[in-house]
Amino acid sequence: MGPLHYFLGIQVLRQPTSLVLSQQKYLEDLLRETNMLTSKPCATPMPTAPTLSKAMGSPHPHPEHYRQVLGSLQYLTLTRPDIAFSVNKLAQFMHSPTDIHWQAVKRLLRYLRELLLLVSLSPNGPEPKIVELGIRNNQGDEVSGVKEAIWEEVEKEISGDENASARA
């Protein structure tokens, strides 16, 4: 069989002391399928106002397409914890999406064009442990600020401790 390189939409890159997991190809395929590959990137996954509701907008003409794209976005949260809140919020409207909800999905896709998130897992020990979290823009430069905020949330999730980031 050989060494693992790509499995279920996740690219696996071996490093001397870790594995790097990336869904960049999966994301590029999703952007291509939704005709968002050449869209203008944006800096945030969702607008802060107005708050989405089920009464906003007119019914989306293809709700099954909305559900399919949202399912793909849910799978993408495996390596992109920064979009988990937005995907969860948009999933609340899967039963009857509107054009406004679809615009929010498109904004999230534009945000995903902006950043590349890599999660490294240590192969040592009984359970995988996140040892590195780096966020890079399209030019490969590390983005500061966002990385620290996401890392704090990941540490809280792993430890189950609300005060985990204070110790880091």
Side-chain angles (χ1 to χ4, degrees), residues 40-159:
K40 179 181 173 187
C42 70
T44 58
M46 288 188 76
T48 55
T51 304
L52 294 175
S53 73
K54 64 181 181 178
M56 298 176 90
S58 57
H60 189 274
H62 304 288
E64 62 284 342
H65 185 245
Y66 180 91
R67 293 181 193 107
Q68 184 271 324
V69 171
L70 212 53
S72 297
L73 288 169
Q74 276 186 313
Y75 186 64
L76 199 56
T77 62
L78 291 172
T79 58
R80 296 297 303 255
D82 57 323
I83 65 167
F85 176 81
S86 301
V87 171
N88 179 41
K89 186 68 174 172
L90 293 167
Q92 295 174 10
F93 308 105
M94 287 180 82
H95 60 284
S96 58
T98 67
D99 56 343
I100 302 296
H101 302 137
W102 179 245
Q103 287 175 4
V105 168
K106 288 179 14 179
R107 180 187 177 113
L108 181 54
L109 291 168
R110 289 177 40 228
Y111 169 76
L112 289 169
R113 269 198 34 48
E114 183 74 15
L115 302 173
L116 171 63
L117 179 68
L118 299 174
V119 178
S120 296
L121 297 177
S122 170
N124 303 329
E127 291 185 19
K129 178 183 174 193
I130 295 179
V131 293
E132 178 184 341
L133 183 67
I135 299 176
R136 303 183 186 282
N137 62 18
N138 288 339
Q139 290 75 38
D141 302 323
E142 193 158 317
V143 179
S144 61
V146 179
K147 175 182 174 179
E148 289 79 12
I150 294 172
W151 178 245
E152 288 176 11
E153 292 302 314
V154 170
E155 273 196 330
K156 286 179 193 176
E157 187 72 27
I158 291 171
S159 68

Side-chain angles (χ1 to χ4, degrees), residues 3-21:
L4 181 64
H5 296 288
Y6 194 79
F7 183 69
L8 295 176
I10 300 174
Q11 184 180 10
V12 180
L13 305 168
R14 292 187 180 274
Q15 301 293 324
T17 60
S18 64
L19 297 174
V20 178
L21 304 179

